[in-house]
Amino acid sequence: MVFSGGVGELTQGMFEGSEAEHFAQIAADLGVPESKILVEPQSTNTGENIQFTQALLENEGLDPQHFILVQKPFMERRTYATFMRQWPNKQCIVTSPAISFDEYPNDVISYSDLINVMLGDLQRIRVYPDFEYAIEQSIPDDVWLAFQSLVDIGFTEHLLSDG
């Protein structure tokens, strides 16, 4: 079991250490043997999650062919697209906790934060193939129109500046 992730923008100050260390400890506390846990605590984005995990697994002499990637619900498609670009000879399934939109905001992440992050993620799904960071995926016209409408009313905090 590999846990990958440094300190993200939304998790800054939430945990003692990195995201990977935090979730690895939860797994250990739930009974996963520590000998079966690998931790990659440096990555700062989805691409680095994959690159640094590749290096970690190679260092450990491991070459799995199939992966189950666990991500935030709104990041599943981009995670898949990034994985497939960077590790096209492997297979993956992407899943996330079944959290509704209304359950996601909390004391740290507001509705506004959530919408901004979701829009940034959707924009990246659209533009990252141009940079060869991810495979191309179709975005339905009505979804992109909703994106544009939300951007027009000011949800721009997590957008790429040149996207």
Side-chain angles (χ1 to χ4, degrees), residues 105-138:
N106 56 39
D107 293 341
V108 178
I109 301 167
S110 69
Y111 276 102
S112 180
D113 291 334
L114 181 58
I115 293 168
N116 276 297
V117 170
M118 290 174 73
L119 291 177
D121 207 66
L122 182 58
Q123 180 195 41
R124 285 161 177 79
I125 289 170
R126 185 168 193 151
V127 302
Y128 274 8
D130 294 342
F131 300 106
E132 297 187 5
Y133 295 159
I135 62 169
E136 195 162 325
Q137 295 186 77
S138 64

PDB file of all heavy atoms in Angstrom, residues 105-138:
ATOM      1  N   PRO A 105     -17.653  20.324   2.307  1.00  0.00           N
ATOM      2  CA  PRO A 105     -17.186  21.490   3.080  1.00  0.00           C
ATOM      3  C   PRO A 105     -17.179  21.189   4.584  1.00  0.00           C
ATOM      4  O   PRO A 105     -17.989  20.406   5.083  1.00  0.00           O
ATOM      5  CB  PRO A 105     -18.205  22.572   2.744  1.00  0.00           C
ATOM      6  CG  PRO A 105     -18.770  22.163   1.432  1.00  0.00           C
ATOM      7  CD  PRO A 105     -18.792  20.650   1.470  1.00  0.00           C
ATOM      8  N   ASN A 106     -16.235  21.823   5.278  1.00  0.00           N
ATOM      9  CA  ASN A 106     -16.108  21.628   6.722  1.00  0.00           C
ATOM     10  C   ASN A 106     -15.536  22.898   7.356  1.00  0.00           C
ATOM     11  O   ASN A 106     -15.584  23.963   6.723  1.00  0.00           O
ATOM     12  CB  ASN A 106     -15.244  20.405   7.024  1.00  0.00           C
ATOM     13  CG  ASN A 106     -13.873  20.500   6.376  1.00  0.00           C
ATOM     14  OD1 ASN A 106     -13.266  21.563   6.326  1.00  0.00           O
ATOM     15  ND2 ASN A 106     -13.383  19.390   5.865  1.00  0.00           N
ATOM     16  N   ASP A 107     -14.964  22.800   8.529  1.00  0.00           N
ATOM     17  CA  ASP A 107     -14.402  23.968   9.203  1.00  0.00           C
ATOM     18  C   ASP A 107     -13.202  24.555   8.474  1.00  0.00           C
ATOM     19  O   ASP A 107     -12.865  25.720   8.660  1.00  0.00           O
ATOM     20  CB  ASP A 107     -13.982  23.607  10.636  1.00  0.00           C
ATOM     21  CG  ASP A 107     -15.164  23.266  11.515  1.00  0.00           C
ATOM     22  OD1 ASP A 107     -16.302  23.641  11.161  1.00  0.00           O
ATOM     23  OD2 ASP A 107     -14.948  22.613  12.559  1.00  0.00           O
ATOM     24  N   VAL A 108     -12.547  23.741   7.640  1.00  0.00           N
ATOM     25  CA  VAL A 108     -11.341  24.187   6.940  1.00  0.00           C
ATOM     26  C   VAL A 108     -11.632  24.528   5.478  1.00  0.00           C
ATOM     27  O   VAL A 108     -11.092  25.484   4.940  1.00  0.00           O
ATOM     28  CB  VAL A 108     -10.249  23.098   7.022  1.00  0.00           C
ATOM     29  CG1 VAL A 108      -9.006  23.510   6.263  1.00  0.00           C
ATOM     30  CG2 VAL A 108      -9.915  22.789   8.471  1.00  0.00           C
ATOM     31  N   ILE A 109     -12.496  23.737   4.827  1.00  0.00           N
ATOM     32  CA  ILE A 109     -12.790  23.913   3.401  1.00  0.00           C
ATOM     33  C   ILE A 109     -14.227  24.393   3.248  1.00  0.00           C
ATOM     34  O   ILE A 109     -15.172  23.671   3.543  1.00  0.00           O
ATOM     35  CB  ILE A 109     -12.592  22.583   2.642  1.00  0.00           C
ATOM     36  CG1 ILE A 109     -11.162  22.091   2.803  1.00  0.00           C
ATOM     37  CG2 ILE A 109     -12.946  22.750   1.169  1.00  0.00           C
ATOM     38  CD1 ILE A 109     -10.944  20.660   2.356  1.00  0.00           C
ATOM     39  N   SER A 110     -14.382  25.618   2.776  1.00  0.00           N
ATOM     40  CA  SER A 110     -15.716  26.201   2.591  1.00  0.00           C
ATOM     41  C   SER A 110     -16.298  25.777   1.242  1.00  0.00           C
ATOM     42  O   SER A 110     -15.597  25.224   0.394  1.00  0.00           O
ATOM     43  CB  SER A 110     -15.618  27.727   2.640  1.00  0.00           C
ATOM     44  OG  SER A 110     -14.919  28.199   1.486  1.00  0.00           O
ATOM     45  N   TYR A 111     -17.587  26.071   1.040  1.00  0.00           N
ATOM     46  CA  TYR A 111     -18.206  25.833  -0.268  1.00  0.00           C
ATOM     47  C   TYR A 111     -17.442  26.587  -1.355  1.00  0.00           C
ATOM     48  O   TYR A 111     -17.192  26.066  -2.435  1.00  0.00           O
ATOM     49  CB  TYR A 111     -19.671  26.282  -0.271  1.00  0.00           C
ATOM     50  CG  TYR A 111     -20.632  25.261   0.276  1.00  0.00           C
ATOM     51  CD1 TYR A 111     -21.143  25.380   1.564  1.00  0.00           C
ATOM     52  CD2 TYR A 111     -21.039  24.177  -0.496  1.00  0.00           C
ATOM     53  CE1 TYR A 111     -22.033  24.442   2.070  1.00  0.00           C
ATOM     54  CE2 TYR A 111     -21.932  23.232  -0.005  1.00  0.00           C
ATOM     55  CZ  TYR A 111     -22.426  23.373   1.286  1.00  0.00           C
ATOM     56  OH  TYR A 111     -23.298  22.444   1.767  1.00  0.00           O
ATOM     57  N   SER A 112     -17.069  27.818  -1.063  1.00  0.00           N
ATOM     58  CA  SER A 112     -16.340  28.620  -2.041  1.00  0.00           C
ATOM     59  C   SER A 112     -14.996  27.978  -2.382  1.00  0.00           C
ATOM     60  O   SER A 112     -14.620  27.894  -3.559  1.00  0.00           O
ATOM     61  CB  SER A 112     -16.129  30.037  -1.495  1.00  0.00           C
ATOM     62  OG  SER A 112     -15.435  30.821  -2.436  1.00  0.00           O
ATOM     63  N   ASP A 113     -14.264  27.511  -1.365  1.00  0.00           N
ATOM     64  CA  ASP A 113     -12.993  26.817  -1.613  1.00  0.00           C
ATOM     65  C   ASP A 113     -13.227  25.599  -2.509  1.00  0.00           C
ATOM     66  O   ASP A 113     -12.486  25.362  -3.463  1.00  0.00           O
ATOM     67  CB  ASP A 113     -12.363  26.318  -0.305  1.00  0.00           C
ATOM     68  CG  ASP A 113     -11.856  27.424   0.595  1.00  0.00           C
ATOM     69  OD1 ASP A 113     -11.526  28.513   0.093  1.00  0.00           O
ATOM     70  OD2 ASP A 113     -11.799  27.184   1.821  1.00  0.00           O
ATOM     71  N   LEU A 114     -14.243  24.837  -2.178  1.00  0.00           N
ATOM     72  CA  LEU A 114     -14.542  23.618  -2.918  1.00  0.00           C
ATOM     73  C   LEU A 114     -14.851  23.915  -4.381  1.00  0.00           C
ATOM     74  O   LEU A 114     -14.315  23.277  -5.287  1.00  0.00           O
ATOM     75  CB  LEU A 114     -15.710  22.872  -2.264  1.00  0.00           C
ATOM     76  CG  LEU A 114     -16.133  21.560  -2.912  1.00  0.00           C
ATOM     77  CD1 LEU A 114     -14.982  20.571  -2.959  1.00  0.00           C
ATOM     78  CD2 LEU A 114     -17.326  20.978  -2.166  1.00  0.00           C
ATOM     79  N   ILE A 115     -15.685  24.905  -4.622  1.00  0.00           N
ATOM     80  CA  ILE A 115     -16.025  25.269  -6.006  1.00  0.00           C
ATOM     81  C   ILE A 115     -14.787  25.741  -6.747  1.00  0.00           C
ATOM     82  O   ILE A 115     -14.533  25.331  -7.891  1.00  0.00           O
ATOM     83  CB  ILE A 115     -17.141  26.338  -6.032  1.00  0.00           C
ATOM     84  CG1 ILE A 115     -18.443  25.733  -5.503  1.00  0.00           C
ATOM     85  CG2 ILE A 115     -17.330  26.889  -7.444  1.00  0.00           C
ATOM     86  CD1 ILE A 115     -19.529  26.758  -5.204  1.00  0.00           C
ATOM     87  N   ASN A 116     -13.974  26.576  -6.109  1.00  0.00           N
ATOM     88  CA  ASN A 116     -12.742  27.053  -6.750  1.00  0.00           C
ATOM     89  C   ASN A 116     -11.817  25.901  -7.111  1.00  0.00           C
ATOM     90  O   ASN A 116     -11.263  25.856  -8.219  1.00  0.00           O
ATOM     91  CB  ASN A 116     -12.013  28.045  -5.840  1.00  0.00           C
ATOM     92  CG  ASN A 116     -12.540  29.444  -5.975  1.00  0.00           C
ATOM     93  OD1 ASN A 116     -12.458  30.037  -7.040  1.00  0.00           O
ATOM     94  ND2 ASN A 116     -13.091  29.983  -4.911  1.00  0.00           N
ATOM     95  N   VAL A 117     -11.641  24.955  -6.206  1.00  0.00           N
ATOM     96  CA  VAL A 117     -10.759  23.818  -6.463  1.00  0.00           C
ATOM     97  C   VAL A 117     -11.331  22.935  -7.562  1.00  0.00           C
ATOM     98  O   VAL A 117     -10.607  22.470  -8.452  1.00  0.00           O
ATOM     99  CB  VAL A 117     -10.511  23.016  -5.164  1.00  0.00           C
ATOM    100  CG1 VAL A 117      -9.800  21.705  -5.445  1.00  0.00           C
ATOM    101  CG2 VAL A 117      -9.706  23.847  -4.181  1.00  0.00           C
ATOM    102  N   MET A 118     -12.642  22.704  -7.541  1.00  0.00           N
ATOM    103  CA  MET A 118     -13.266  21.881  -8.568  1.00  0.00           C
ATOM    104  C   MET A 118     -13.117  22.517  -9.955  1.00  0.00           C
ATOM    105  O   MET A 118     -12.850  21.823 -10.941  1.00  0.00           O
ATOM    106  CB  MET A 118     -14.743  21.658  -8.244  1.00  0.00           C
ATOM    107  CG  MET A 118     -14.956  20.747  -7.051  1.00  0.00           C
ATOM    108  SD  MET A 118     -16.684  20.618  -6.542  1.00  0.00           S
ATOM    109  CE  MET A 118     -17.350  19.618  -7.860  1.00  0.00           C
ATOM    110  N   LEU A 119     -13.258  23.821 -10.034  1.00  0.00           N
ATOM    111  CA  LEU A 119     -13.107  24.502 -11.320  1.00  0.00           C
ATOM    112  C   LEU A 119     -11.660  24.422 -11.805  1.00  0.00           C
ATOM    113  O   LEU A 119     -11.410  24.221 -12.998  1.00  0.00           O
ATOM    114  CB  LEU A 119     -13.557  25.958 -11.218  1.00  0.00           C
ATOM    115  CG  LEU A 119     -15.060  26.158 -11.014  1.00  0.00           C
ATOM    116  CD1 LEU A 119     -15.386  27.631 -10.850  1.00  0.00           C
ATOM    117  CD2 LEU A 119     -15.860  25.551 -12.156  1.00  0.00           C
ATOM    118  N   GLY A 120     -10.719  24.585 -10.870  1.00  0.00           N
ATOM    119  CA  GLY A 120      -9.311  24.450 -11.238  1.00  0.00           C
ATOM    120  C   GLY A 120      -9.019  23.060 -11.768  1.00  0.00           C
ATOM    121  O   GLY A 120      -8.277  22.881 -12.739  1.00  0.00           O
ATOM    122  N   ASP A 121      -9.608  22.065 -11.156  1.00  0.00           N
ATOM    123  CA  ASP A 121      -9.404  20.695 -11.596  1.00  0.00           C
ATOM    124  C   ASP A 121      -9.998  20.471 -12.984  1.00  0.00           C
ATOM    125  O   ASP A 121      -9.363  19.849 -13.836  1.00  0.00           O
ATOM    126  CB  ASP A 121     -10.018  19.733 -10.576  1.00  0.00           C
ATOM    127  CG  ASP A 121      -9.323  18.406 -10.589  1.00  0.00           C
ATOM    128  OD1 ASP A 121      -8.132  18.353 -10.228  1.00  0.00           O
ATOM    129  OD2 ASP A 121      -9.967  17.415 -10.981  1.00  0.00           O
ATOM    130  N   LEU A 122     -11.197  20.987 -13.216  1.00  0.00           N
ATOM    131  CA  LEU A 122     -11.828  20.843 -14.533  1.00  0.00           C
ATOM    132  C   LEU A 122     -11.006  21.550 -15.608  1.00  0.00           C
ATOM    133  O   LEU A 122     -10.801  21.012 -16.706  1.00  0.00           O
ATOM    134  CB  LEU A 122     -13.258  21.382 -14.506  1.00  0.00           C
ATOM    135  CG  LEU A 122     -14.044  21.253 -15.808  1.00  0.00           C
ATOM    136  CD1 LEU A 122     -14.131  19.803 -16.267  1.00  0.00           C
ATOM    137  CD2 LEU A 122     -15.435  21.848 -15.644  1.00  0.00           C
ATOM    138  N   GLN A 123     -10.514  22.723 -15.293  1.00  0.00           N
ATOM    139  CA  GLN A 123      -9.679  23.431 -16.262  1.00  0.00           C
ATOM    140  C   GLN A 123      -8.442  22.596 -16.603  1.00  0.00           C
ATOM    141  O   GLN A 123      -8.035  22.508 -17.765  1.00  0.00           O
ATOM    142  CB  GLN A 123      -9.257  24.791 -15.704  1.00  0.00           C
ATOM    143  CG  GLN A 123      -8.393  25.581 -16.668  1.00  0.00           C
ATOM    144  CD  GLN A 123      -7.695  26.730 -15.996  1.00  0.00           C
ATOM    145  OE1 GLN A 123      -7.211  26.601 -14.870  1.00  0.00           O
ATOM    146  NE2 GLN A 123      -7.640  27.870 -16.667  1.00  0.00           N
ATOM    147  N   ARG A 124      -7.843  21.977 -15.604  1.00  0.00           N
ATOM    148  CA  ARG A 124      -6.655  21.153 -15.837  1.00  0.00           C
ATOM    149  C   ARG A 124      -6.981  19.932 -16.704  1.00  0.00           C
ATOM    150  O   ARG A 124      -6.160  19.526 -17.532  1.00  0.00           O
ATOM    151  CB  ARG A 124      -6.034  20.756 -14.500  1.00  0.00           C
ATOM    152  CG  ARG A 124      -5.286  21.921 -13.861  1.00  0.00           C
ATOM    153  CD  ARG A 124      -5.063  21.723 -12.359  1.00  0.00           C
ATOM    154  NE  ARG A 124      -4.295  22.806 -11.774  1.00  0.00           N
ATOM    155  CZ  ARG A 124      -4.779  24.005 -11.444  1.00  0.00           C
ATOM    156  NH1 ARG A 124      -6.054  24.294 -11.665  1.00  0.00           N
ATOM    157  NH2 ARG A 124      -3.993  24.921 -10.921  1.00  0.00           N
ATOM    158  N   ILE A 125      -8.165  19.361 -16.536  1.00  0.00           N
ATOM    159  CA  ILE A 125      -8.568  18.248 -17.403  1.00  0.00           C
ATOM    160  C   ILE A 125      -8.554  18.710 -18.855  1.00  0.00           C
ATOM    161  O   ILE A 125      -8.141  17.986 -19.756  1.00  0.00           O
ATOM    162  CB  ILE A 125      -9.962  17.710 -17.011  1.00  0.00           C
ATOM    163  CG1 ILE A 125      -9.875  16.958 -15.678  1.00  0.00           C
ATOM    164  CG2 ILE A 125     -10.539  16.812 -18.102  1.00  0.00           C
ATOM    165  CD1 ILE A 125     -11.229  16.590 -15.091  1.00  0.00           C
ATOM    166  N   ARG A 126      -8.961  19.948 -19.070  1.00  0.00           N
ATOM    167  CA  ARG A 126      -9.035  20.473 -20.431  1.00  0.00           C
ATOM    168  C   ARG A 126      -7.663  20.847 -21.007  1.00  0.00           C
ATOM    169  O   ARG A 126      -7.379  20.581 -22.175  1.00  0.00           O
ATOM    170  CB  ARG A 126      -9.951  21.687 -20.476  1.00  0.00           C
ATOM    171  CG  ARG A 126     -10.155  22.199 -21.883  1.00  0.00           C
ATOM    172  CD  ARG A 126     -11.251  23.195 -21.960  1.00  0.00           C
ATOM    173  NE  ARG A 126     -11.618  23.443 -23.335  1.00  0.00           N
ATOM    174  CZ  ARG A 126     -12.800  23.805 -23.725  1.00  0.00           C
ATOM    175  NH1 ARG A 126     -13.761  23.956 -22.855  1.00  0.00           N
ATOM    176  NH2 ARG A 126     -13.053  24.026 -24.982  1.00  0.00           N
ATOM    177  N   VAL A 127      -6.800  21.471 -20.201  1.00  0.00           N
ATOM    178  CA  VAL A 127      -5.545  22.011 -20.755  1.00  0.00           C
ATOM    179  C   VAL A 127      -4.315  21.126 -20.563  1.00  0.00           C
ATOM    180  O   VAL A 127      -3.362  21.244 -21.323  1.00  0.00           O
ATOM    181  CB  VAL A 127      -5.248  23.430 -20.232  1.00  0.00           C
ATOM    182  CG1 VAL A 127      -6.386  24.371 -20.557  1.00  0.00           C
ATOM    183  CG2 VAL A 127      -4.917  23.454 -18.759  1.00  0.00           C
ATOM    184  N   TYR A 128      -4.318  20.242 -19.586  1.00  0.00           N
ATOM    185  CA  TYR A 128      -3.114  19.447 -19.334  1.00  0.00           C
ATOM    186  C   TYR A 128      -2.698  18.547 -20.493  1.00  0.00           C
ATOM    187  O   TYR A 128      -1.501  18.317 -20.685  1.00  0.00           O
ATOM    188  CB  TYR A 128      -3.249  18.654 -18.041  1.00  0.00           C
ATOM    189  CG  TYR A 128      -2.832  19.428 -16.798  1.00  0.00           C
ATOM    190  CD1 TYR A 128      -2.538  20.786 -16.829  1.00  0.00           C
ATOM    191  CD2 TYR A 128      -2.734  18.773 -15.584  1.00  0.00           C
ATOM    192  CE1 TYR A 128      -2.168  21.476 -15.690  1.00  0.00           C
ATOM    193  CE2 TYR A 128      -2.358  19.446 -14.434  1.00  0.00           C
ATOM    194  CZ  TYR A 128      -2.074  20.798 -14.493  1.00  0.00           C
ATOM    195  OH  TYR A 128      -1.695  21.465 -13.355  1.00  0.00           O
ATOM    196  N   PRO A 129      -3.630  18.030 -21.308  1.00  0.00           N
ATOM    197  CA  PRO A 129      -3.164  17.260 -22.469  1.00  0.00           C
ATOM    198  C   PRO A 129      -2.266  18.086 -23.400  1.00  0.00           C
ATOM    199  O   PRO A 129      -1.335  17.539 -23.997  1.00  0.00           O
ATOM    200  CB  PRO A 129      -4.465  16.856 -23.166  1.00  0.00           C
ATOM    201  CG  PRO A 129      -5.446  16.767 -22.040  1.00  0.00           C
ATOM    202  CD  PRO A 129      -5.078  17.927 -21.138  1.00  0.00           C
ATOM    203  N   ASP A 130      -2.504  19.393 -23.501  1.00  0.00           N
ATOM    204  CA  ASP A 130      -1.666  20.253 -24.342  1.00  0.00           C
ATOM    205  C   ASP A 130      -0.219  20.287 -23.858  1.00  0.00           C
ATOM    206  O   ASP A 130       0.698  20.504 -24.649  1.00  0.00           O
ATOM    207  CB  ASP A 130      -2.208  21.686 -24.371  1.00  0.00           C
ATOM    208  CG  ASP A 130      -3.562  21.789 -25.047  1.00  0.00           C
ATOM    209  OD1 ASP A 130      -3.944  20.858 -25.797  1.00  0.00           O
ATOM    210  OD2 ASP A 130      -4.259  22.800 -24.818  1.00  0.00           O
ATOM    211  N   PHE A 131      -0.008  20.092 -22.576  1.00  0.00           N
ATOM    212  CA  PHE A 131       1.337  20.100 -21.982  1.00  0.00           C
ATOM    213  C   PHE A 131       1.889  18.683 -21.831  1.00  0.00           C
ATOM    214  O   PHE A 131       2.961  18.489 -21.274  1.00  0.00           O
ATOM    215  CB  PHE A 131       1.311  20.783 -20.610  1.00  0.00           C
ATOM    216  CG  PHE A 131       0.860  22.204 -20.648  1.00  0.00           C
ATOM    217  CD1 PHE A 131      -0.405  22.550 -20.181  1.00  0.00           C
ATOM    218  CD2 PHE A 131       1.672  23.207 -21.156  1.00  0.00           C
ATOM    219  CE1 PHE A 131      -0.830  23.870 -20.211  1.00  0.00           C
ATOM    220  CE2 PHE A 131       1.254  24.526 -21.192  1.00  0.00           C
ATOM    221  CZ  PHE A 131      -0.006  24.859 -20.719  1.00  0.00           C
ATOM    222  N   GLU A 132       1.104  17.701 -22.293  1.00  0.00           N
ATOM    223  CA  GLU A 132       1.442  16.282 -22.177  1.00  0.00           C
ATOM    224  C   GLU A 132       1.548  15.829 -20.724  1.00  0.00           C
ATOM    225  O   GLU A 132       2.299  14.920 -20.390  1.00  0.00           O
ATOM    226  CB  GLU A 132       2.703  15.951 -22.980  1.00  0.00           C
ATOM    227  CG  GLU A 132       2.500  16.199 -24.462  1.00  0.00           C
ATOM    228  CD  GLU A 132       3.647  15.739 -25.322  1.00  0.00           C
ATOM    229  OE1 GLU A 132       4.598  15.124 -24.811  1.00  0.00           O
ATOM    230  OE2 GLU A 132       3.588  16.005 -26.529  1.00  0.00           O
ATOM    231  N   TYR A 133       0.765  16.470 -19.847  1.00  0.00           N
ATOM    232  CA  TYR A 133       0.690  16.053 -18.446  1.00  0.00           C
ATOM    233  C   TYR A 133      -0.360  14.972 -18.254  1.00  0.00           C
ATOM    234  O   TYR A 133      -0.340  14.254 -17.253  1.00  0.00           O
ATOM    235  CB  TYR A 133       0.288  17.225 -17.541  1.00  0.00           C
ATOM    236  CG  TYR A 133       1.259  18.369 -17.450  1.00  0.00           C
ATOM    237  CD1 TYR A 133       0.822  19.613 -17.038  1.00  0.00           C
ATOM    238  CD2 TYR A 133       2.613  18.232 -17.758  1.00  0.00           C
ATOM    239  CE1 TYR A 133       1.686  20.686 -16.934  1.00  0.00           C
ATOM    240  CE2 TYR A 133       3.478  19.298 -17.667  1.00  0.00           C
ATOM    241  CZ  TYR A 133       3.023  20.527 -17.249  1.00  0.00           C
ATOM    242  OH  TYR A 133       3.869  21.587 -17.143  1.00  0.00           O
ATOM    243  N   ALA A 134      -1.321  14.881 -19.177  1.00  0.00           N
ATOM    244  CA  ALA A 134      -2.454  13.974 -19.015  1.00  0.00           C
ATOM    245  C   ALA A 134      -2.980  13.585 -20.389  1.00  0.00           C
ATOM    246  O   ALA A 134      -2.724  14.277 -21.375  1.00  0.00           O
ATOM    247  CB  ALA A 134      -3.565  14.666 -18.214  1.00  0.00           C
ATOM    248  N   ILE A 135      -3.722  12.476 -20.421  1.00  0.00           N
ATOM    249  CA  ILE A 135      -4.377  12.108 -21.676  1.00  0.00           C
ATOM    250  C   ILE A 135      -5.598  13.004 -21.856  1.00  0.00           C
ATOM    251  O   ILE A 135      -6.113  13.571 -20.903  1.00  0.00           O
ATOM    252  CB  ILE A 135      -4.783  10.616 -21.697  1.00  0.00           C
ATOM    253  CG1 ILE A 135      -5.799  10.303 -20.600  1.00  0.00           C
ATOM    254  CG2 ILE A 135      -3.562   9.722 -21.641  1.00  0.00           C
ATOM    255  CD1 ILE A 135      -6.450   8.930 -20.709  1.00  0.00           C
ATOM    256  N   GLU A 136      -6.054  13.101 -23.095  1.00  0.00           N
ATOM    257  CA  GLU A 136      -7.235  13.920 -23.389  1.00  0.00           C
ATOM    258  C   GLU A 136      -8.509  13.209 -22.953  1.00  0.00           C
ATOM    259  O   GLU A 136      -8.618  11.987 -23.061  1.00  0.00           O
ATOM    260  CB  GLU A 136      -7.284  14.209 -24.889  1.00  0.00           C
ATOM    261  CG  GLU A 136      -8.228  15.316 -25.232  1.00  0.00           C
ATOM    262  CD  GLU A 136      -7.961  15.898 -26.608  1.00  0.00           C
ATOM    263  OE1 GLU A 136      -6.788  15.962 -27.012  1.00  0.00           O
ATOM    264  OE2 GLU A 136      -8.942  16.285 -27.252  1.00  0.00           O
ATOM    265  N   GLN A 137      -9.441  13.999 -22.462  1.00  0.00           N
ATOM    266  CA  GLN A 137     -10.762  13.493 -22.091  1.00  0.00           C
ATOM    267  C   GLN A 137     -11.800  14.490 -22.578  1.00  0.00           C
ATOM    268  O   GLN A 137     -11.561  15.700 -22.554  1.00  0.00           O
ATOM    269  CB  GLN A 137     -10.881  13.358 -20.583  1.00  0.00           C
ATOM    270  CG  GLN A 137      -9.945  12.337 -19.986  1.00  0.00           C
ATOM    271  CD  GLN A 137     -10.229  12.153 -18.528  1.00  0.00           C
ATOM    272  OE1 GLN A 137     -11.192  11.488 -18.165  1.00  0.00           O
ATOM    273  NE2 GLN A 137      -9.406  12.750 -17.692  1.00  0.00           N
ATOM    274  N   SER A 138     -12.937  13.981 -22.975  1.00  0.00           N
ATOM    275  CA  SER A 138     -13.989  14.895 -23.425  1.00  0.00           C
ATOM    276  C   SER A 138     -14.690  15.516 -22.220  1.00  0.00           C
ATOM    277  O   SER A 138     -14.840  14.889 -21.175  1.00  0.00           O
ATOM    278  CB  SER A 138     -15.001  14.162 -24.305  1.00  0.00           C
ATOM    279  OG  SER A 138     -15.658  13.180 -23.548  1.00  0.00           O
TER     280      SER A 138
END
